Amino acid sequence: IDGQAVRWLVLSAGLLVLKSYFSNTWTGLMKVRSGTVGAPEDRLFGAKKDAKPWEALSHPLVMRAQRSVFNDQENIPLWFMTAVLFLLTGASGLEARNWFVPYVIARYLHTVAYLNGKQPHRAIFFILGGLLTLGPLFLSFYRAYVGF
């Protein structure tokens, strides 16, 4: 496995983990801002005293933030599995950089567009991220079954 490719994977995956932490924290902040709670014990953090846990699920700010987190949970693991396959099938450092960095950028921009309700930007970045996942996957299949 190419050492440079591993470095690009570590950097890219690390940046995606940080982005996910931001998204999770943002969801919590939206619960505080809206005065809702995700669980009864969360009332300690500034929610209304009579806030019901299910209210957070229906508040527009919380719903948007939570859907952004769900989107990450659905897409980033698929990318990571593909990235590992790509490295295992001989990706060079240059190839890894050229596929991984644009994916990370697309995911960050997708999150910004999602949290701000911007279309068609959100769809464009989502599709771009999907293509940047499928590209290395198909290259991995080709290398594994046709040859390096």
Side-chain angles (χ1 to χ4, degrees):
I1 296 177
D2 184 294
Q4 277 299 111
V6 172
R7 285 193 259 297
W8 283 112
L9 176 60
V10 169
L11 176 65
S12 300
L15 289 172
L16 291 169
V17 167
L18 291 174
K19 192 200 83 54
S20 293
Y21 271 112
F22 165 79
S23 296
N24 292 335
T25 302
W26 186 258
T27 300
L29 290 173
M30 291 302 98
K31 288 176 185 174
V32 170
R33 182 174 173 191
S34 66
T36 62
V37 294
E41 63 272 13
D42 294 345
R43 290 188 189 106
L44 176 67
F45 298 107
K48 298 178 284 187
K49 297 292 182 214
D50 60 343
K52 306 291 187 279
W54 58 85
E55 289 176 341
L57 300 175
S58 63
H59 193 281
L61 291 173
V62 177
M63 286 175 57
R64 181 168 293 282
Q66 190 65 57
R67 285 193 313 266
S68 174
V69 169
F70 291 156
N71 192 278
D72 283 347
Q73 291 171 341
E74 294 165 357
N75 290 282
I76 292 174
L78 298 176
W79 172 83
F80 184 74
M81 288 185 287
T82 297
V84 169
L85 292 174
F86 195 47
L87 265 61
L88 291 173
T89 56
S92 69
L94 181 63
E95 289 175 309
R97 183 195 72 194
N98 290 345
W99 285 102
F100 298 171
V101 171
Y103 179 82
V104 171
I105 293 168
R107 288 306 304 176
Y108 270 79
L109 292 173
H110 175 267
T111 298
V112 170
Y114 207 131
L115 293 177
N116 290 290
K118 299 295 183 187
Q119 283 287 20
H121 308 84
R122 188 179 102 205
I124 291 167
F125 296 130
F126 177 81
I127 291 167
L128 182 59
L131 294 173
L132 290 165
T133 300
L134 292 175
L137 180 64
F138 291 137
L139 285 170
S140 297
F141 287 154
Y142 177 81
R143 288 175 176 164
Y145 294 101
V146 177
F148 283 86

